[in-house]
């Protein structure tokens, strides 16, 4: 790529990054999207709860978006990994793994998060297929099915309360001694939600579709879906390197305008919110693009 200087560099080319790129491209901004091609939902067979695209394959949504954005000659794509970023007086310098160096006035991190899976055999294979994180994204497809939740303590109680809207055939696996309060335990039992405190060994599954949870004591329970919220970390280390604040949940802190605490650096999508969905990623990306363009206008007017 011959061009080295841009108005905005977007790190992360999934739904939020693409949405921001379209917003900025239509604002006549020179934009570079750097993307390594590893979206967190790459294993998920279908995307839901996004109007006009309900039930579509995630990769198809991304491919269609990129085709449309390619029509805007102000937007450029670079397939690779951004590994270094430096804030200079009036610009940022971003280096890639292959040694390319690009400069921009603003940076948008739409880089997502990396889920850290527990040491349960089959968990990674089933993630996004039958091991789910969001009932709004996938709950309808497994409504009224035999369902398990893997969680403990306050999160387990709130998760069970939420998922019970989609199915009453619900089991809670605390994967070790329960830390629920006595009151929470009694409420769940009154709702016929059985609690299993045994540690989980593995999932029996067929191409990611779970059939049984196997405990270390060799007992097992039949399920068709599992809800779990594994811990995660930022997919990209550059925001922290640049001094961007990260909150107690491990998400980039942004204000109502998608701005981080570092002037000129914005963030959108999954790296900023626990509400991980395509629709929200698209929304925050589009808004961030408009805000960045307005800031550039204000600086130049």
């Amino acid at each position: 790529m011959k061009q080295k200087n841009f108005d905005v560099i977007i790190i992360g080319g999934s739904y939020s990054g693409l949405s921001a790129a379209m917003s900025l491209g239509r604002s006549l901004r020179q934009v570079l999207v750097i993307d390594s091609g590893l979206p967190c939902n790459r294993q998920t067979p279908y995307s839901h709860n996004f109007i006009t695209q309900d039930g579509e394959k995630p990769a198809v949504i991304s491919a269609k978006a990129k085709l449309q954005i390619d029509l805007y000659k102000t937007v450029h794509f670079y397939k690779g990994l951004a590994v270094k970023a430096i804030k200079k007086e009036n610009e940022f310098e971003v280096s890639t793994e292959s040694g390319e160096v690009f400069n921009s006035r603003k940076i948008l991190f739409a880089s997502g998060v990396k889920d850290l899976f527990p040491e349960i055999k089959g968990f990674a294979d089933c993630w996004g297929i039958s091991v789910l994180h969001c009932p709004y994204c996938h709950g309808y497809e497994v409504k009224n099915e035999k369902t398990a939740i893997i969680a403990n303590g306050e999160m387990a109680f709130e998760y069970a309360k939420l998922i019970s809207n989609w199915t009453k055939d619900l089991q809670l696996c605390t994967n070790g001694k329960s830390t629920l309060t006595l009151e929470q335990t009694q409420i769940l039992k009154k709702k016929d939600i059985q609690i299993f405190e045994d540690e989980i060994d593995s999932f029996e599954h067929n191409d990611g579709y779970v059939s049984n949870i196997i405990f270390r004591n060799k007992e097992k329970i039949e399920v068709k879906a599992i809800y779990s919220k594994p811990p995660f970390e930022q997919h990209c280390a550059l925001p922290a390197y640049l001094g961007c604040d990260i909150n107690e949940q491990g998400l980039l802190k942004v204000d109502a305008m998608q701005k981080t605490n570092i002037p000129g650096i914005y963030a959108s999508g999954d790296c900023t919110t626990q509400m991980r969905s395509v629709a929200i990623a698209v929304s925050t990306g589009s808004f961030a693009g408009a805000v960045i363009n307005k800031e550039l206008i204000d600086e130049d007017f």
Side-chain angles (χ1 to χ4, degrees):
M1 182 182 294
K2 293 181 179 179
Q3 186 171 338
K4 298 296 182 182
N5 296 299
F6 299 88
D7 294 311
V8 184
I9 290 177
I10 299 173
I11 297 178
S14 192
Y15 312 103
S16 198
L18 290 172
S19 183
M22 178 173 278
S23 182
L24 286 160
R26 289 181 57 81
S27 301
L28 310 181
R29 296 299 176 186
Q30 290 292 322
V31 181
L32 176 64
V33 180
I34 301 176
D35 183 56
S36 61
L38 294 173
C40 68
N41 69 348
R42 57 189 178 274
Q43 195 166 277
T44 304
Y46 301 102
S47 174
H48 292 284
N49 207 26
F50 181 23
I51 57 171
T52 76
Q53 302 296 323
D54 191 52
E56 186 58 274
K57 294 178 180 178
V60 171
I61 299 173
S62 295
K64 185 176 180 180
K66 191 173 179 186
L67 280 174
Q68 292 176 347
I69 294 166
D70 273 337
L71 298 176
Y72 298 95
K73 302 307 178 186
T74 50
V75 181
H76 311 265
F77 290 92
Y78 180 90
K79 186 173 182 180
L81 191 66
V83 295
K84 186 178 180 182
I86 301 170
K87 189 179 192 308
K88 297 186 174 180
E89 186 175 353
N90 296 312
E91 65 177 10
F92 296 91
E93 181 181 279
V94 177
S95 303
T96 70
E97 193 172 39
S98 62
E100 296 258 28
V101 179
F102 303 102
N103 296 281
S104 68
R105 294 171 62 184
K106 310 293 179 187
I107 289 183
L108 171 67
F109 285 102
S111 41
V113 293
K114 179 182 179 182
D115 295 298
L116 305 174
F117 299 141
E119 292 183 3
I120 296 172
K121 292 190 289 289
F123 190 103
D125 297 321
C126 297
W127 180 246
I129 300 170
S130 60
V131 177
L132 314 169
H133 78 287
C134 174
Y136 295 101
C137 298
H138 306 290
Y140 186 86
E141 283 63 45
V142 292
K143 63 185 183 296
N144 302 321
E145 296 283 8
K146 291 182 179 295
T147 300
I149 295 168
I150 299 177
N152 208 347
E154 184 68 23
M155 188 179 83
F157 182 73
E158 291 299 325
Y159 217 179
K161 189 193 303 185
L162 178 66
I163 303 305
S164 68
N165 180 74
W166 281 267
T167 182
K168 305 304 178 188
D169 195 346
L170 190 57
Q171 292 78 229
L172 173 61
C173 301
T174 57
N175 197 24
K177 185 174 177 58
S178 171
T179 56
L180 292 159
T181 66
L182 179 60
E183 182 184 10
Q184 289 170 337
T185 301
Q186 291 173 339
I187 291 171
L188 293 178
K189 286 183 176 179
K190 283 181 181 179
K191 295 291 184 180
D192 294 322
I193 298 173
Q194 191 172 359
I195 300 171
F196 296 86
E197 297 186 62
D198 300 308
E199 293 187 356
I200 299 169
D201 177 74
S202 60
F203 298 156
E204 286 183 351
H205 68 93
N206 183 18
D207 291 332
Y209 289 93
V210 67
S211 56
N212 291 287
I213 295 176
I214 311 297
F215 296 98
R216 290 187 180 175
N217 63 6
K218 305 305 179 185
E219 291 185 10
K220 66 181 180 180
I221 57 173
E222 180 185 351
V223 294
K224 293 294 184 183
I226 298 170
Y227 285 91
S228 178
K229 290 185 178 181
F232 60 83
E233 63 186 13
Q234 287 289 317
H235 197 261
C236 179
L238 295 183
Y241 177 80
L242 288 164
C244 296
D245 287 340
I246 296 175
N247 67 21
E248 58 276 8
Q249 282 111 19
L251 298 165
L252 292 178
K253 280 187 178 181
V254 292
D255 64 13
M257 307 303 282
Q258 303 299 137
K259 294 182 179 182
T260 71
N261 59 300
I262 303 298
I265 301 181
Y266 296 73
S268 65
D270 288 358
C271 62
T272 67
T273 177
Q274 293 192 73
M275 293 294 290
R276 292 166 60 179
S277 77
V278 175
I280 289 173
V282 168
S283 172
T284 57
S286 181
F287 181 66
V291 170
I292 293 170
N293 180 60
K294 179 61 164 59
E295 184 167 286
L296 290 167
I297 289 171
D298 289 343
E299 290 175 359
D300 294 340
F301 193 76

